[in-house]
Amino acid sequence: MTKIADNVNPNVYEKGSEREVTSSERDEDVVDEIDSREIFDLLRNINDPEHPLTLEELRVIEERNIYVDNKDNSVRVYFTPTIPHCSMATLIGLSIRVLLLRALPSRYKVTVEVSEGTHVSEHAVNKQLADKERVAAALENKNLVQIINQCVA
């Protein structure tokens, strides 16, 4: 039995341009702190679990909803599900979290949350995504990890 997508006809937006790498970013001697654009570039091509579209194309993630504090070594990402009752919100949040944990230096504290007022279960989803034990348990599920790997590939 095939699952029918929650949002069978999502709004699709044009992708932004890729950021050009500047000469100072190529210079190994220059300290290049991580910024919100760099985090956005990491996340923009995550595939939606239900559609053959990226999180950028669905505006699930936007650069303006990414906050980086290099002094505190923290990254906070707010994402917006395409519909208020999206059943994939936790999976999308896990995909974002996993990609950042894989890509960023371990000193960074990563927080991923549903944007306020955009999901009927935002508090429950945020609680799950913030709970290290629940995230670790989810990542022990081989089927779930396989789906996440497909999203972040």
Side-chain angles (χ1 to χ4, degrees):
M1 179 151 83
T2 305
K3 181 186 180 303
I4 297 173
D6 288 341
N7 186 1
V8 293
N9 193 18
N11 291 329
V12 180
Y13 302 89
E14 191 172 319
K15 291 181 86 167
S17 61
E18 296 285 333
R19 178 168 69 163
E20 288 186 33
V21 178
T22 64
S23 60
S24 66
E25 290 174 316
R26 281 190 215 103
D27 187 348
E28 296 297 322
D29 297 326
V30 174
V31 175
D32 181 28
E33 291 193 330
I34 293 173
D35 61 14
S36 59
R37 179 59 191 239
E38 192 168 352
I39 299 299
F40 177 74
D41 286 342
L42 283 169
L43 302 176
R44 69 190 306 175
N45 293 314
I46 292 176
N47 296 304
D48 182 83
E50 291 185 318
H51 302 285
L53 299 164
T54 66
L55 297 188
E56 178 186 17
E57 290 170 311
L58 293 169
R59 286 217 182 130
V60 171
I61 60 153
E62 295 181 82
E63 185 180 350
R64 66 188 176 101
N65 293 327
I66 297 170
Y67 304 90
V68 178
D69 186 334
N70 284 294
K71 288 187 182 92
D72 287 342
N73 294 313
S74 65
V75 173
R76 182 175 293 270
V77 176
Y78 294 97
F79 68 99
T80 304
T82 58
I83 51 174
H85 55 276
C86 175
S87 65
M88 297 288 139
T90 304
L91 179 60
I92 291 167
L94 272 173
S95 297
I96 293 168
R97 187 171 177 78
V98 164
L99 184 61
L100 290 175
L101 291 174
R102 289 176 182 172
L104 293 174
S106 59
R107 70 178 184 270
Y108 281 91
K109 179 183 187 299
V110 173
T111 305
V112 178
E113 295 183 345
V114 174
S115 298
E116 188 174 340
T118 63
H119 194 276
V120 294
S121 302
E122 79 183 66
H123 297 293
V125 172
N126 289 343
K127 187 175 179 178
Q128 281 184 299
L129 293 172
D131 187 324
K132 289 181 182 179
E133 287 78 23
R134 288 169 97 170
V135 170
L139 297 178
E140 288 177 13
N141 179 323
K142 288 180 180 157
N143 293 332
L144 188 55
V145 171
Q146 187 177 3
I147 294 168
I148 290 170
N149 285 337
Q150 288 171 355
C151 291
V152 301

